[in-house]
Amino acid sequence: MAAVAARVGVSTPTLYGYVAGRDALLSALAQRISSPPATACCGATAFPISRPGC
């Protein structure tokens, strides 16, 4: 986890604020890789935001 934190430019405690540990990090990474990319809706940004009418 320390190496991952260093690679992304955060402290190890900050990384643990986002994921509970190594298994959670690997699970999130696998989910991110296997999910289709988010598409913009109604002029939305790259973040998947639910908007009325979309």
Side-chain angles (χ1 to χ4, degrees):
M1 294 297 284
V4 172
R7 177 72 179 193
V8 297
V10 299
S11 69
T12 303
T14 298
L15 181 58
Y16 277 107
Y18 289 95
V19 293
R22 178 181 174 269
D23 291 339
L25 178 62
L26 293 174
S27 177
L29 178 61
Q31 183 178 1
R32 175 76 181 234
I33 290 170
S34 66
S35 298
T39 58
C41 171
C42 301
T45 64
F47 298 102
I49 301 171
S50 176
R51 295 185 177 196
C54 290

